[in-house]
Amino acid sequence: MKYIIGVDIGTTSTKSIAFDLDGNVISKQNILYPIYNPEPSWSEQSPVEMLNAVVESIKGVVSDNNTKGNELLGISFSSAMHSVIAMDKDGKPLTDCIIWADTRSKDYADKIKTSIEGHEIYMRTGTPIHPMSPLCKLCWLRDNMPDIFNKTYKFISIKEYVFFKFFGEYIVDHSIASATGLFDIYDLKWNKTALDLVGITEDKLSIPVSTTYSIKGLNKEYATYMNISIDTPFVVGASDGCLANLGANAIKKGDAAVTIGTSGAIRIISDKAKNDESERIFSYILSEEHYVLGGPVNNGGIVFRWFRDNFSPLELEAAKKLNIDTYEIMTDEAAKVAPGSDGLIFLPYLLGERAPHWDAYSKGVYFGINIKHKREHFLRALLEGVIYGVYSVGKALQETTGEIDTIYATGGFVRSELWVQMLADVFNKKVVIAESYESSCLGAAVLGMKSLGIINKVEEVEKLVPISKTFEPDAKNHKAYMKNFAVYERLYGKLKDEFYNISLIQEEN
């Protein structure tokens, strides 16, 4: 049997999955690593720990009994976006990996966003101005860590770090580059206006390459440890968001992919970049013929986890005794409440928000509490609030790109039928779930197959993604949700200034 490995370097773990050429999962490995928060607004990870997770997960898949004796055709990569690592001339990290959730550069983002120059950069790079963006992170490093900034040989992402360690070269795929705020998505080169703003030249960044670019000559030490040939082709691949669409088969006109894991996103694929004059959505590259348009939300499953860890001790204990998932108990509680949570509304901005507001200062809010509301109301309102956040991005996306017909759901939230039905009802659209939840890994594998000549075009993914379940919208529920959503949407505008004020107070403390 011949197989290909898709590797997804994610926020909380790295997954490596071996697929046969029909898209079936043969073997998988998932290696976790922590997020470090040395300061309240800082979110970092160790490049060494992340590299080790990549190595161990690949080694685990290759050594699995299901893959032994079979032929590995290549390894292709997906990766989280927006990370920054400063590297010295000897190839050693000067900083940890500053990830998308880091908001230390919010003052820089505010200043750039309100400038004419900032709007020009957005319109050429497709990356909204926000603290997640390496553009803003580098401005912060320049002014707050000048010794490190001036000593840096290359500013790179986590995937670039892995490829440098494996092959000794600094390369970056067009997809990851297009999420930096530094890369011109029309000319496919580093944008001079953005580089001048930061105060660097393009030699401080990696060489941009196509997402189907492959490389051989793996470092012998790593090859021996992972038990693979040094001539195994490594395909650089693309970003996790772009590949989630590909792996979910959400690639036709009218298709959208909604992913809710730790965070969330809604995306469509277009044959051209389309930026929004209001700067609400992103426009990233999947390939020279495919652009992924959409927007991410900071607050997905991590909000549910926050509620579980802080307000659900009885559920945690019960789940442990019954050997079931705590979330299953919690969603059963939420299901007791009718759609709309009897007028209780939750703004889920616990980690600030990206699309459509791009406001790092925004905060979580429960609104409309009355004496009749019980714990299950708060649970259901929380789940609804996450979906409202995705829907608000979906509205902006449809205004820019056209109507969405079908939603392909991916990510951990698809394990909850209640949550997926909520998505169908809020959007008033059909929602389908593929048999495999691992859309970013499968997307990486499909891009790898295209690179290696196994398939002729990425659209052939349709043959590899059977549908396991379809959810039809309920018109009555949609009507109830839209009443709440109208209030939800107005609340942000009314509270925006107060979010900023309370952030200042919290920072003082």
Side-chain angles (χ1 to χ4, degrees), residues 61 68 80 221 230 240 245 271 351 372 389 422:
V61 166
K68 280 183 179 176
E221 185 177 331
I230 61 171
D240 54 358
N245 266 62
D271 60 357
L351 292 171
K372 294 183 179 180
M422 214 176 269

Side-chain angles (χ1 to χ4, degrees), residues 174-383:
H174 288 159
S175 186
I176 289 294
S178 69
T180 61
L182 303 165
F183 189 73
D184 191 306
I185 57 176
Y186 300 95
D187 295 338
L188 300 183
K189 63 182 183 181
W190 298 113
N191 180 269
K192 189 174 187 308
T193 304
L195 298 187
D196 288 347
L197 178 68
V198 174
I200 59 172
T201 50
E202 64 179 43
D203 64 304
K204 291 288 185 182
L205 303 171
S206 297
I207 297 172
V209 297
S210 167
T211 56
T212 54
Y213 179 86
S214 68
I215 186 171
K216 295 181 180 179
L218 177 64
N219 176 289
K220 188 175 180 180
E221 185 177 331
Y222 285 115
T224 300
Y225 184 76
M226 293 187 285
N227 196 28
I228 60 178
S229 166
I230 61 171
D231 292 324
T232 302
F234 276 64
V235 180
V236 66
S239 67
D240 54 358
C242 291
L243 290 171
N245 266 62
L246 177 58
N249 188 33
I251 57 175
K252 299 183 293 296
K253 184 176 176 58
D255 290 347
V258 168
T259 303
I260 301 179
T262 305
S263 56
I266 179 169
R267 303 168 299 268
I268 62 107
I269 288 184
S270 171
D271 60 357
K272 61 181 71 172
K274 293 180 183 177
N275 292 324
D276 173 27
E277 283 289 343
S278 300
E279 303 185 23
R280 292 171 296 176
I281 65 170
F282 58 65
S283 190
Y284 297 148
I285 298 170
L286 173 58
S287 71
E288 285 82 351
E289 301 85 30
H290 302 89
Y291 288 80
V292 175
L293 319 177
V297 296
N298 278 357
N299 304 278
I302 196 168
V303 177
F304 204 11
R305 190 170 91 180
W306 164 79
F307 197 99
R308 181 200 68 181
D309 293 348
N310 293 284
F311 307 110
S312 305
L314 296 179
E315 286 77 6
L316 283 164
E317 188 62 31
K320 191 175 182 181
K321 288 180 180 177
L322 297 171
N323 195 29
I324 61 174
D325 191 343
T326 311
Y327 295 122
E328 187 178 330
I329 298 175
M330 294 167 70
T331 50
D332 285 347
E333 287 184 66
K336 298 174 184 175
V337 179
S341 301
D342 293 327
L344 182 62
I345 296 171
F346 178 62
L347 272 62
Y349 310 138
L350 301 188
L351 292 171
E353 191 51 290
R354 287 183 286 174
H357 306 304
W358 303 100
D359 181 2
Y361 298 103
S362 56
K363 297 286 183 285
V365 174
Y366 273 107
F367 178 80
I369 305 169
N370 66 46
I371 198 70
K372 294 183 179 180
H373 286 136
K374 300 177 182 177
R375 185 177 183 280
E376 52 260 37
H377 287 88
F378 286 82
L379 262 174
R380 178 155 197 136
L382 180 145
L383 298 178

